[in-house]
Amino acid sequence: MIQWLYAGGQEDSSVSAAIISISLVLISGFLMTRVTKKLRLPNVTAYIVAGILIGPYGLNIVPKPIIQGTGFLPDIALAFIAFSTGQFFKFDILKKNGAKVIIITLFEALLASIFVFILAFFILHLNLAFSIVLAALASATAPASTMMTIRQTGAKGDFVETLLQVVALDDIVGLIAYSVAISIAVHSATGDAFSIIRVFTPILTNAFVLFLGAVFGVLLTILLRPKTRSSDNRLIISVALLFAFCGICTILEISPLLGCMSMGTIYINFTEDDKLFKQLNYFSPPFLLMFFVRSGMSFDLQALVKTSGTIGSSPLILIGVLYFIIRIIGKYIGAFVGCLLVKKSKETRNYLGLALIPQAGVAIGLAALGARTLQGETGNALETIILASSVLYELIGPASAKLSLYLSKSYSKRLEEIVDVSNTTPDGKEKSQVELLIDRIQKIQQELPSHTLNEAEEAFTEAAEQHNIGFWGEVQKQNMKEILRKRKKL
């Protein structure tokens, strides 16, 4: 039906097709979560599978032009995710744990790159340009699926804080590694003289984005400072600034990730206002769902299995599979060694690497830039491998992240792990299982807050209530004015 509407060629038909497609994306993503919930998989996995099923390489329900026309969704989704991540970069925490997080990040990011480079250049004997860029891209991690998994589970604690800071810094390392790698790759492929300017230009560009994000953070702080500012207007202003920043980054052809992260960091440190982040977290799920479903719709399995899909003497399917495995090994070992060096807890050391598997967003964007720079067979192969592996990473990554959160005891659904009660009575007798159950239920009831909403829902509901109070207050004022006016006439 959607294909028929779009094929109609008329403007009304195209608009109808776009609206119905968005509705289908939202519904299919939701329905797939009903399936993955039974399998105890995160929602992100459901969204990507739904995208594969309804996309042009599945049932082909959503037309390709509509998918291409939603190219802005990754930037919008990354903006919300990055801004939310910024709240975890409080200056007092960074002073205390910053050095440890940097060491962990360097080890897990660079070790993954080193492992992939050894695989590509020394084992598969691929050309230097392809090998070094692929290795640089291996360092990047996707914060979106990790953030959504944390939000879904409600996980908290040192493991979660370390994970979020590592994931955020991870992309900074990835961007710098890519900047150096693409310069070396161009020199290797063209024979041009090695240029320091080519190395530092992307680095300086991203430094400028960080600075611009900080400026937007200060602007957001100023605009939201008045206490009379209503909650709905706070939400409108913050979304408007995030969208504006995304538009500027699109013009400059760079990712908004670092700048939005900087924006969130400045805001939380200047205001200590975490309620805005909770309101945005409650507002953003439809955008994130569409982003992940769209990622699934963009997955082209045929590009990997085509007989012509080779680079050097190695088929792309082999390179993709080995890249997929080796990067995971590099991430895990790097995170383990980094945590060991800075003396992190056993739970963080053993399970942090499991949460660093997802790869999308930044890696896909950089792969597209790399493909345009390298061009030809090498560029196409690079983008195909990153796109295909990113979908696979996003399918297993959220599940691995959820497993790591559970194993690290950052969240639990087992009653005996949620609250701690004594196994004996005051007189020293062993309590029965029924008595233990009653004690745990009573303790949970004592610890429950007075409301039943989570923090994000509470913040969003409060904003809605304030809006209603303001609206009906204004209505009452108008009614009183009307009554006074009529009295004057009498």
Side-chain angles (χ1 to χ4, degrees), residues 59 70 154 186 214 259 268 415:
L59 299 176
T70 55
V186 170
I268 190 64
L415 191 61

Side-chain angles (χ1 to χ4, degrees), residues 203-279:
I203 297 175
L204 292 174
T205 301
N206 286 294
F208 169 73
V209 171
L210 278 170
F211 170 75
L212 187 61
V215 172
F216 268 72
V218 173
L219 180 60
L220 181 65
T221 302
I222 295 171
L223 291 174
L224 300 188
R225 181 168 291 169
K227 293 182 179 180
T228 56
R229 191 81 71 195
S230 64
S231 295
D232 51 342
N233 282 334
R234 283 161 53 86
L235 192 63
I236 290 169
I237 291 169
S238 56
V239 171
L241 285 181
L242 282 172
F243 278 39
F245 188 82
C246 282
I248 294 172
C249 290
T250 302
I251 294 171
L252 298 176
E253 296 185 348
I254 51 179
S255 170
L257 185 71
L258 295 180
C260 290
M261 196 183 304
S262 174
M263 186 175 168
T265 300
I266 293 297
Y267 182 78
I268 190 64
N269 282 283
F270 279 21
T271 65
E272 295 292 331
D273 172 29
D274 62 346
K275 187 165 287 187
L276 177 65
F277 295 93
K278 294 169 186 174
Q279 290 173 345

Side-chain angles (χ1 to χ4, degrees), residues 65-261:
I66 290 180
I67 300 174
Q68 294 168 354
T70 55
F72 61 90
L73 279 176
D75 286 338
I76 298 298
L78 284 174
F80 280 113
I81 290 295
F83 184 79
S84 295
T85 304
Q87 69 179 302
F88 297 99
F89 283 89
K90 293 184 178 180
F91 294 150
D92 55 342
I93 296 176
L94 288 177
K95 287 179 183 178
K96 185 170 59 176
N97 299 323
K100 293 182 179 180
V101 172
I102 290 172
I103 290 173
I104 296 171
T105 305
L106 288 174
F107 270 89
E108 60 86 14
L110 297 181
L111 207 58
S113 293
I114 291 170
F115 279 22
V116 170
F117 182 75
I118 292 172
L119 165 73
F121 190 71
F122 292 103
I123 297 177
L124 298 179
H125 304 291
L126 305 177
N127 64 65
L128 178 63
F130 179 86
S131 299
I132 197 168
V133 176
L134 184 66
L137 295 177
S139 63
T141 304
S145 56
T146 301
M147 281 287 291
M148 282 199 67
T149 304
I150 291 172
R151 191 183 305 168
Q152 183 185 351
T153 58
K156 294 179 181 179
D158 179 68
F159 180 87
V160 173
E161 289 182 1
T162 302
L163 171 60
L164 289 170
Q165 291 173 6
V166 167
V167 167
L169 290 175
D170 200 52
D171 286 323
I172 297 177
V173 175
L175 287 166
I176 294 173
Y178 170 81
S179 302
V180 175
I182 198 67
S183 178
I184 297 173
V186 170
H187 167 67
S188 170
T190 62
D192 293 342
F194 183 79
S195 174
I196 296 295
I197 295 176
R198 284 180 178 172
V199 175
F200 281 99
T201 298
I203 297 175
L204 292 174
T205 301
N206 286 294
F208 169 73
V209 171
L210 278 170
F211 170 75
L212 187 61
V215 172
F216 268 72
V218 173
L219 180 60
L220 181 65
T221 302
I222 295 171
L223 291 174
L224 300 188
R225 181 168 291 169
K227 293 182 179 180
T228 56
R229 191 81 71 195
S230 64
S231 295
D232 51 342
N233 282 334
R234 283 161 53 86
L235 192 63
I236 290 169
I237 291 169
S238 56
V239 171
L241 285 181
L242 282 172
F243 278 39
F245 188 82
C246 282
I248 294 172
C249 290
T250 302
I251 294 171
L252 298 176
E253 296 185 348
I254 51 179
S255 170
L257 185 71
L258 295 180
C260 290
M261 196 183 304

